[in-house]
Amino acid sequence: MKKSILPVLLFAMVANVLYAKKNDSSKFYKKEMQQLHSAIEKNFHDHASGYYFVELDPTKRETKFGHRREYSWLWALCAMFEATNEVEKVDKKADLVDDIFKSMQHYYDPAPPKPGYGEYIVSLSRGQRYYDDNQWIGIAALDIYGRTGEKSYLDLGKSMYDFMMTAYDTTLGGGLYWRENDFESKNTCSNGPGVIVALKMYNATKNEAYLDTALMIYNWTNEKLQTPEGLYFDNIKTKDESIGKAIFSYNTGTMLQSNVYLYEITGDKKYLDRAIKIADSSLSYFYGSGKFRDGYWFNAVLLRGYQHLLKYHDDLKYISGFKKCLDNTLNNEKNEQGLFSDGNGIHNLVNHGGMLEILARFAELERHYDLAD
């Protein structure tokens, strides 16, 4: 009997070892996420003031409007707001988003026509209010509301919707401007996320007016700024309708995810087909070289679209193509502090917020998919 039990025990021991190794490898990105968050807090968070630094290198912090702008722009806190929400999805014990939200209150500017958030700490140097910055806040707030049910974040999303709609007029047939009191251009970076804010408000309230707004902005953006391949140009000038032809991953990402949301809401397969076309074009354009073409945060926004698309199009090729670029970055761009450059030695908070979101999303993906090469 002892002889018969011995092989069973050996098999169980080997199985446990193999399971432990598999379980450990399935948490690779979660560990990277946790390490990066610690590095951000250590290197970018000025605990004396409570603010975050904009750049790691003090010599690269700007002086503008007579003030040395050493602290973070709002944009970087927008990146951290969404990233910490994704961290909380992976690490149920984390309690991070409320603190980032509190940090953002230093940027709150209640000026008419609607309250919003300014580009910099208002008490130090009031500057522009960017519609896209406020939309990123709205998107993150509504994500948090969807996860937690906390009504204060639904109210924040509604406030960001109200502010962004002050950017709308009928010049060029519609669309939203990029920043307040600047009527030079209408940009994909303010229209793509505008669609998502409106769609998320519709999902939260079922008020058809939000869906109507989303479709209006969506159709305008496709008409004015989509490339023949399904990607998106940066902007259109109001003076002569000339196109700013830069192509960034985040612009493609918001419009990709807009199509996925519209498919969820309407059930109309044309939106899923459009999402797949955009994903296919973006995969070769942005990730075909095995290296990120633009900043980490820009890529985080496109990853949102890829991850969302997986719910309805079970093909891991988009995630796999993205993963090659991510792993290349982890292997070659991370320094001894656990921080990243963009290939030019630049270490700033917005890109670290973007990388934190990417790692959190991959930590979630590795829980559900085999991401092995």
Side-chain angles (χ1 to χ4, degrees):
M1 185 174 179
K2 289 181 180 179
K3 289 182 180 180
S4 65
I5 291 175
L6 184 60
V8 175
L9 292 175
L10 288 173
F11 175 80
M13 290 172 63
V14 171
N16 285 335
V17 170
L18 292 174
Y19 174 80
K21 287 184 176 179
K22 181 180 185 299
N23 191 49
D24 186 63
S25 65
S26 70
K27 295 181 179 179
F28 171 76
Y29 293 107
K30 182 177 181 180
K31 291 178 180 177
E32 291 284 339
M33 173 197 80
Q34 291 168 331
Q35 290 169 6
L36 178 57
H37 184 258
S38 295
I40 290 171
E41 287 298 306
K42 179 179 179 180
N43 291 279
F44 284 97
H45 198 178
D46 179 16
H47 294 279
S49 68
Y51 304 139
Y52 284 82
F53 292 119
V54 63
E55 294 276 355
L56 187 63
D57 182 353
T59 66
K60 294 181 179 177
R61 298 171 190 163
E62 292 185 60
T63 298
K64 193 173 182 181
F65 303 128
H67 294 275
R68 181 174 174 77
R69 287 192 166 186
E70 60 180 334
Y71 297 117
S72 173
W73 299 93
L74 177 64
W75 179 23
L77 289 185
C78 297
M80 289 296 295
F81 196 35
E82 184 66 53
T84 52
N85 181 52
E86 294 303 316
V87 171
E88 287 192 11
K89 291 179 184 178
V90 175
D91 183 354
K92 307 302 182 185
K93 296 180 180 179
D95 184 14
L96 305 173
V97 295
D98 289 343
D99 286 341
I100 297 295
F101 176 65
K102 289 176 185 176
S103 296
M104 289 194 302
Q105 299 319 298
H106 298 290
Y107 301 71
Y108 182 72
D109 185 349
K114 292 289 183 179
Y117 289 83
E119 63 181 339
Y120 199 65
I121 299 164
V122 173
S123 64
L124 297 180
S125 174
R126 173 175 281 172
Q128 292 265 180
R129 295 196 296 187
Y130 286 76
Y131 295 112
D132 59 333
D133 287 354
N134 286 266
Q135 289 162 337
W136 304 126
I137 292 171
I139 289 169
L142 292 166
D143 281 348
I144 296 165
Y145 171 70
R147 179 173 62 86
T148 68
E150 291 185 31
K151 187 177 180 296
S152 61
Y153 285 113
L154 174 60
D155 294 340
L156 177 58
K158 171 65 163 58
S159 178
M160 296 299 91
Y161 173 88
D162 291 343
F163 176 73
M164 87 174 190
M165 290 310 296
T166 66
Y168 178 83
D169 69 15
T170 57
T171 302
L172 299 179
L176 306 175
Y177 292 103
W178 175 39
R179 58 185 183 178
E180 200 170 31
N181 301 317
D182 181 349
F183 307 106
E184 181 181 347
S185 66
K186 294 187 173 182
N187 296 40
T188 306
C189 74
S190 52
N191 284 277
V195 178
I196 294 178
V197 171
L199 290 174
K200 291 176 80 65
M201 283 300 300
Y202 171 77
N203 279 338
T205 66
K206 302 309 177 188
N207 183 334
E208 291 286 339
Y210 291 121
L211 180 57
D212 292 342
T213 297
L215 287 168
M216 176 180 66
I217 301 171
Y218 168 88
N219 290 328
W220 181 90
T221 307
N222 282 333
E223 177 188 347
K224 298 294 185 181
L225 290 164
Q226 190 173 31
T227 74
E229 297 75 24
L231 304 180
Y232 288 83
F233 293 126
D234 185 64
N235 67 78
I236 180 170
K237 297 291 190 294
T238 56
K239 183 177 181 180
D240 58 7
E241 298 192 32
S242 61
I243 300 295
K245 292 190 175 181
I247 297 175
F248 297 112
S249 51
Y250 76 140
N251 287 331
T252 295
T254 55
M255 293 304 292
L256 166 58
Q257 194 171 23
S258 293
N259 279 287
V260 180
Y261 274 120
L262 284 167
Y263 175 65
E264 281 183 336
I265 291 167
T266 69
D268 191 331
K269 192 173 179 295
K270 73 180 180 185
Y271 295 116
L272 180 60
D273 292 340
R274 290 174 185 175
I276 293 169
K277 178 183 177 181
I278 294 170
D280 286 341
S281 296
S282 66
L283 179 61
S284 58
Y285 185 83
F286 291 110
Y287 307 116
S289 70
K291 294 183 179 181
F292 290 128
R293 286 181 67 110
D294 48 17
Y296 304 143
W297 180 82
F298 285 27
N299 288 281
V301 178
L302 181 48
L303 179 59
R304 298 174 195 178
Y306 285 169
Q307 190 176 8
H308 200 167
L309 181 59
L310 262 180
K311 291 176 65 176
Y312 307 102
H313 183 58
D314 189 17
D315 192 334
L316 276 172
K317 67 180 180 180
Y318 313 111
I319 301 299
S320 297
F322 193 107
K323 179 180 179 295
K324 290 178 182 177
C325 300
L326 173 58
D327 290 346
N328 183 294
T329 299
L330 292 172
N331 289 329
N332 297 297
E333 300 295 341
K334 186 167 71 169
N335 65 18
E336 64 280 357
Q337 296 169 287
L339 299 174
F340 295 86
S341 74
D342 64 358
N344 297 311
I346 297 173
H347 302 77
N348 60 41
L349 184 59
V350 68
N351 272 330
H352 281 84
M355 179 56 74
L356 183 62
E357 180 181 342
I358 289 169
L359 291 172
R361 289 183 178 278
F362 266 81
E364 181 67 16
L365 286 164
E366 70 185 350
R367 291 175 58 205
H368 301 286
Y369 299 93
D370 181 2
L371 300 181
D373 293 331

